């Protein structure tokens, strides 16, 4: 897809995220809206994976460490053909596989995640396996900035650099808010870039809601031979809906019908401009 088509996709995905969260009366709205551009570009422009190749040992791997924003992942997986989109009408319902975190019972999901701090270690292990098996596949993982204080992330960061995993790309959805407040106030992990660089990672900053900027960053992988890659994606929590943007209350907020109508109206207007 070209940049314009990807921008259009993101708008459509935002509307679908809201639709299914409202239908389920549950979900992580703010983080799903902040991260959707990243997941969109990965699946529609970067990853070498599809429903037909998902069983191939040579496929690229994507692990969503910030598993609570699963609604963003689900709408993209449905759109690229892993399962019928109608399945999402059962989101968070009894006996549905489409629960509030990724599970391998859903087609296209690589790993069960949601316990924060687990995605990066899983990605590091998977990237090591690729090196040992002399495979060319790449491993991508999306983390939330609110999960960075978990110690397992830093063990994984050390290990990734030690094994020179230039086939690994971690992306931080840095929207600066988590469920209990600003990340800088809950447990400040800045400066994230110099911390990872001191461990031996190659780091780039990018506007995580700018499709073209994301395309350019992913196209330049690996950033340095012999170093794991980190993209710090600066995003807006609740991106695309004016009254949700940068509001911590929308971390786990669900729109009522009036708010939902306003959000869809804003997104529709943005798509037509």
């Amino acid at each position: 897809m070209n940049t314009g088509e990807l921008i259009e996709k993101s708008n459509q995905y935002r509307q679908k995220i809201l639709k299914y969260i409202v239908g389920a009366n549950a979900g992580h709205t703010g983080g799903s809206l902040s991260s959707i551009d990243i997941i969109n570009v990965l699946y529609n422009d970067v990853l070498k994976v599809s429903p037909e190749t998902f069983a191939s040992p040579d496929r690229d791997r994507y692990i969503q460490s910030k598993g609570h924003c699963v609604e963003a992942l689900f709408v993209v997986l449905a759109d690229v053909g892993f399962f019928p989109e109608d399945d999402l009408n059962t989101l968070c319902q009894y006996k549905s596989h489409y629960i509030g975190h990724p599970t391998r019972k859903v087609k296209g999901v690589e790993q069960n995640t949601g316990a924060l701090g687990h995605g990066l270690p899983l990605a590091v292990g998977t990237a090591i396996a690729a090196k040992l098996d002399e495979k060319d596949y790449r491993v991508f993982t999306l983390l939330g900035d609110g999960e960075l204080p978990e110690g397992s992330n830093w063990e994984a960061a050390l290990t990734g650099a030690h094994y020179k995993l230039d086939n690994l790309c971690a992306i931080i959805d840095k929207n600066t808010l988590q469920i209990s407040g600003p990340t800088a106030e809950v447990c400040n992990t800045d400066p994230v870039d110099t911390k990872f660089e001191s461990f031996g990672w190659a780091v780039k900053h990018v506007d995580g809601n700018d499709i073209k900027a994301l395309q350019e960053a992913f196209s330049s992988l690996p950033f340095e031979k012999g170093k794991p890659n980190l993209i710090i994606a600066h995003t807006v929590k609740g991106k695309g809906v004016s009254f949700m943007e940068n509001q911590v209350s929308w971390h786990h907020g669900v729109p009522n019908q009036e708010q939902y109508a306003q959000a869809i109206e804003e997104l529709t207007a943005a798509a037509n401009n």
Side-chain angles (χ1 to χ4, degrees):
M1 289 186 184
N2 61 39
T3 303
E5 291 169 331
L6 289 169
I7 291 171
E8 183 178 350
K9 274 287 183 189
S10 280
N11 187 286
Q12 294 169 1
Y13 288 154
R14 284 188 166 90
Q15 295 189 49
K16 290 179 180 181
I17 286 167
L18 294 171
K19 172 185 175 181
Y20 293 114
I21 285 176
V22 168
N25 196 31
H28 287 79
T29 308
S32 291
L33 294 176
S34 71
S35 63
I36 189 60
D37 298 306
I38 300 165
I39 302 171
N40 174 17
V41 172
L42 282 170
Y43 275 93
N44 289 303
D45 197 54
V46 177
L47 293 172
K48 295 178 181 177
V49 67
S50 68
E52 294 74 30
T53 63
F54 192 68
S56 169
D58 298 314
R59 72 189 184 281
D60 285 342
R61 273 73 163 173
Y62 170 73
I63 298 169
Q64 184 152 314
S65 190
K66 53 176 296 176
H68 54 288
C69 295
V70 72
E71 295 85 13
L73 177 60
F74 281 165
V75 298
V76 175
L77 289 179
D79 184 61
V80 299
F82 279 96
F83 52 82
E85 188 178 317
D86 285 349
D87 286 4
L88 296 182
N89 290 319
T90 70
L91 181 69
C92 292
Q93 292 184 15
Y94 180 57
K95 290 189 176 181
S96 173
H97 292 322
Y98 301 91
I99 57 176
H101 292 86
T103 165
R104 292 179 66 187
K105 292 181 179 180
V106 172
K107 292 179 180 179
V109 172
E110 286 283 353
Q111 296 286 350
N112 297 0
T113 56
L116 298 179
H118 288 188
L120 185 57
L122 286 166
V124 166
T126 307
I128 290 173
K131 294 286 189 181
L132 290 173
D133 292 339
E134 298 182 347
K135 295 288 187 180
D136 292 330
Y137 67 79
R138 298 176 298 173
V139 184
F140 297 81
T141 184
L142 177 65
L143 294 82
D145 51 355
E147 71 172 305
L148 288 180
E150 301 289 346
S152 50
N153 285 318
W154 302 101
E155 295 176 38
L158 286 167
T159 305
H162 177 79
Y163 288 101
K164 300 178 170 54
L165 301 180
D166 52 8
N167 59 341
L168 169 66
C169 179
I171 309 109
I172 297 173
D173 177 23
K174 192 171 174 58
N175 61 38
T176 74
L177 295 172
Q178 58 191 100
I179 192 168
S180 50
T183 55
E185 295 178 10
V186 177
C187 186
N188 190 18
T189 53
D190 284 327
V192 172
D193 49 4
T194 54
K195 287 183 172 70
F196 272 84
E197 285 168 346
S198 71
F199 281 19
W201 288 59
V203 179
K204 280 193 176 184
H205 290 263
V206 67
D207 181 342
N209 296 129
D210 184 321
I211 296 294
K212 186 173 180 58
L214 287 166
Q215 287 179 288
E216 291 173 352
F218 286 124
S219 67
S220 62
L221 292 171
F223 301 147
E224 294 183 43
K225 185 173 176 58
K227 289 186 176 184
N229 310 277
L230 177 68
I231 295 176
I232 301 175
H234 298 270
T235 65
V236 175
K237 194 111 174 181
K239 177 67 176 178
V241 180
S242 62
F243 60 89
M244 295 182 182
E245 290 188 351
N246 290 315
Q247 300 298 313
V248 70
S249 60
W250 286 103
H251 177 90
H252 204 286
V254 175
N256 60 32
Q257 287 301 318
E258 182 180 350
Q259 291 167 327
Y260 174 61
Q262 180 181 340
I264 296 300
E265 182 179 347
E266 289 186 12
L267 291 166
T268 302
N272 293 332
N273 287 340

